[in-house]
Amino acid sequence: MRHPVQRLAYDKAKRTVFLAAGDKIQGFDADTGSRLQQWSTDMIPRDPSGKEQEGRPKKKSKSDSDKSERNSIRTLTCTDDGQYLVATTDEKKLLLVLSTVDFSLVNNRQFPKRPSATAITDRGQTILLGDKFGDVYSVPIVPSVTNEEARRGHSEVSNAENESEYDIEPIFGHVSMLVDLIATPVVDGKRYIISGDRDEHVRVTRYPDACIIERFCFGHEQYVSQLLIPTWSPTTLISGGGDDFLIRWKWTTGELKEKIDVKGLLYPYKQNAHEDNAETVSVAGIWEMSEFKIILVFDDSAEKLLTFQVSDDINENAKFLDMASYKLLDLAPTGENGEAWISLYDNAKDEQPLIKKIAVSSSGSINEVESEASSNIDSEASFNVSSRDSILALHPVSLLRKHAEH
């Protein structure tokens, strides 16, 4: 039985698509579908001392050997220049940087809390990482000090965990679980970080002077799980999560420009869809097709992928274009011809594809692209498990929704 592919990333420079399932990552040639590289967390070198943590030997439980999700990949991102692949893991709370050339491990850092979101800034030199407790860290792509150098030159570093955190810099924090963050383009000579959390906050923070909160964007009533600044409109922010709508902001001023209805599109058969609490919105992904100034929005409650036209004129309302049904796990745009790779999880039958390629037209319609490359990638992706019980929990974003106490 094949394990669903939980995360996708695409390297536009080398035309390589990366797939992650469990604790494994595989790279494929996007033109031919041939597998290029494979890596897993089992390949991480052990500490030279042979100890997981000095003075505190690792306790092994029965569940450690039984669960394949012992170190599952949570996020996967490729730097714009295509040199590095950035991943985070759940159980061991790791940040990993791999070279896209040979999958060698460039950076390996452990965090005190589970990472939940990453972004790349400083022209591909710095990783911004947020964790489930709301803290945000700045980490260089290539470490300035190796663990061994830290061990020799800094006697106060007493164990392997502290050594791995030597060049990790905490820069700011939320009081709630951080769910998504993005680094903004340069606007008026300044840069910012925009972050969203479970407590309905959208926060604009100066960077690198992250101690200064520039503003909050208020308007959400539920968790904020997805943020996007379209490349063709750098002062526009699209945010979504558990509300019935997306919000379109002019983030440079904090002005709410438009609430884009989602619930009414997902559940049109309900006469009063916005008054029916049985049907909810859970925005699990927002991506852009810059070629056509189109954004894609995936709702994992209704399992629908929607397309909207978003003008570069921030005063012009977004226009709904089309909708298609998919049980989607992730999507990675290629930046060419409106195409994107998608991973699916509804696989009661093994012969059903886990990986497909779609194309979004200029009118917003979504069509599947049949190609030898996509067929090869789907068949060559070897994420196999012994039984359905070994498949990782998918953790839908709808679990972030707060429920009233009774």
Side-chain angles (χ1 to χ4, degrees):
M1 177 175 289
R2 295 187 300 165
H3 195 295
V5 174
Q6 294 162 289
R7 289 291 176 260
L8 294 173
Y10 186 74
D11 178 2
K12 299 176 183 178
K14 300 184 182 68
R15 299 182 63 82
T16 303
V17 58
F18 299 99
L19 286 56
D23 66 346
K24 297 179 176 62
I25 301 173
Q26 295 178 353
F28 291 84
D29 186 310
D31 295 321
T32 65
S34 59
R35 191 164 68 190
L36 305 174
Q37 301 284 353
Q38 178 169 305
W39 186 89
S40 74
T41 57
D42 292 337
M43 299 168 66
I44 299 175
R46 291 182 61 85
D47 185 83
S49 66
K51 300 177 182 179
E52 291 290 339
Q53 238 182 37
E54 188 173 325
R56 289 189 290 172
K58 181 182 179 182
K59 294 181 180 180
K60 292 185 178 181
S61 65
K62 183 178 179 181
S63 62
D64 287 337
S65 57
D66 290 345
K67 292 183 179 180
S68 62
E69 61 264 37
R70 61 190 181 279
N71 203 20
S72 56
I73 306 295
R74 173 174 282 266
T75 66
L76 190 67
T77 307
C78 190
T79 57
D80 288 340
D81 60 9
Q83 291 191 58
Y84 302 107
L85 195 64
V86 178
T88 62
T89 71
D90 270 345
E91 283 70 23
K92 292 186 179 179
K93 308 177 184 68
L94 298 177
L95 170 69
L96 307 167
V97 180
L98 304 177
S99 166
T100 57
V101 176
D102 56 5
F103 267 31
S104 59
L105 187 62
V106 176
N107 200 345
N108 171 22
R109 293 290 180 263
Q110 187 171 21
F111 284 80
K113 303 300 179 183
R114 182 177 298 172
S116 57
T118 58
I120 311 297
T121 189
D122 294 333
R123 298 182 179 179
Q125 300 301 308
T126 303
I127 303 164
L128 301 173
L129 182 144
D131 67 22
K132 65 176 294 185
F133 272 53
D135 295 324
V136 177
Y137 302 85
S138 172
V139 187
I141 287 276
V142 179
S144 56
V145 179
T146 66
N147 289 353
E148 185 60 32
E149 288 170 341
R151 188 179 292 112
R152 290 197 306 265
H154 297 268
S155 58
E156 71 273 13
V157 178
S158 59
N159 58 56
E161 182 178 358
N162 286 339
E163 289 161 4
S164 70
E165 296 174 2
Y166 180 72
D167 57 358
I168 296 173
E169 179 186 1
I171 56 175
F172 71 90
H174 283 236
V175 296
S176 176
M177 177 181 178
L178 190 142
V179 187
D180 197 16
L181 69 105
I182 56 176
T184 74
V186 177
V187 176
D188 296 330
K190 298 178 181 179
R191 291 180 295 167
Y192 302 88
I193 302 169
I194 303 180
S195 47
D197 65 24
R198 195 185 179 194
D199 281 347
E200 308 93 43
H201 298 134
V202 175
R203 170 176 165 175
V204 181
T205 305
R206 291 190 189 179
Y207 181 79
D209 302 318
C211 59
I212 303 174
I213 300 175
E214 188 71 15
R215 66 183 56 86
F216 283 93
C217 298
F218 293 112
H220 283 285
E221 300 168 8
Q222 288 286 342
Y223 61 86
V224 180
S225 58
Q226 295 292 315
L227 302 167
L228 174 73
I229 296 178
T231 54
W232 60 88
S233 184
T235 62
T236 296
L237 172 70
I238 308 292
S239 61
D243 288 303
D244 296 347
F245 46 82
L246 304 173
I247 296 183
R248 189 181 184 193
W249 311 87
K250 184 176 182 180
W251 66 265
T252 52
T253 63
E255 184 180 359
L256 192 159
K257 302 299 293 187
E258 178 188 8
K259 288 187 176 181
I260 305 170
D261 179 39
V262 175
K263 189 171 185 177
L265 297 171
L266 296 176
Y267 309 108
Y269 51 86
K270 299 286 186 181
Q271 291 184 354
N272 297 305
H274 295 282
E275 299 176 6
D276 190 340
N277 294 325
E279 309 289 4
T280 59
V281 174
S282 301
V283 176
I286 304 177
W287 305 271
E288 69 171 31
M289 292 296 178
S290 56
E291 309 96 300
F292 307 127
K293 297 181 181 179
I294 286 174
I295 65 168
L296 287 78
V297 178
F298 178 67
D299 180 273
D300 73 358
S301 292
E303 297 175 343
K304 300 289 186 181
L305 185 63
L306 303 90
T307 58
F308 295 87
Q309 189 89 53
V310 177
S311 170
D312 50 6
D313 181 356
I314 200 167
N315 294 310
E316 183 178 332
N317 286 348
K319 178 184 177 183
F320 170 68
L321 299 176
D322 200 5
M323 178 167 51
S325 297
Y326 283 105
K327 294 195 173 184
L328 196 69
L329 280 175
D330 204 2
L331 183 150
T334 67
E336 297 179 352
N337 305 316
E339 294 181 341
W341 294 93
I342 62 173
S343 59
L344 308 169
Y345 67 88
D346 185 26
N347 254 4
K349 299 180 180 180
D350 281 344
E351 63 268 19
Q352 295 296 318
L354 290 172
I355 301 295
K356 289 184 178 181
K357 196 174 188 181
I358 62 170
V360 179
S361 70
S362 58
S363 64
S365 62
I366 303 169
N367 302 288
E368 294 184 6
V369 178
E370 299 292 338
S371 69
E372 185 178 355
S374 60
S375 297
N376 289 343
I377 292 174
D378 181 67
S379 61
E380 290 293 323
S382 56
F383 301 113
N384 298 318
V385 292
S386 57
S387 67
R388 188 167 293 276
D389 293 337
S390 300
I391 294 178
L392 293 178
L394 300 177
H395 304 301
V397 72
S398 57
L399 295 178
L400 293 170
R401 187 178 299 277
K402 297 178 181 179
H403 299 281
E405 295 182 3
H406 299 282

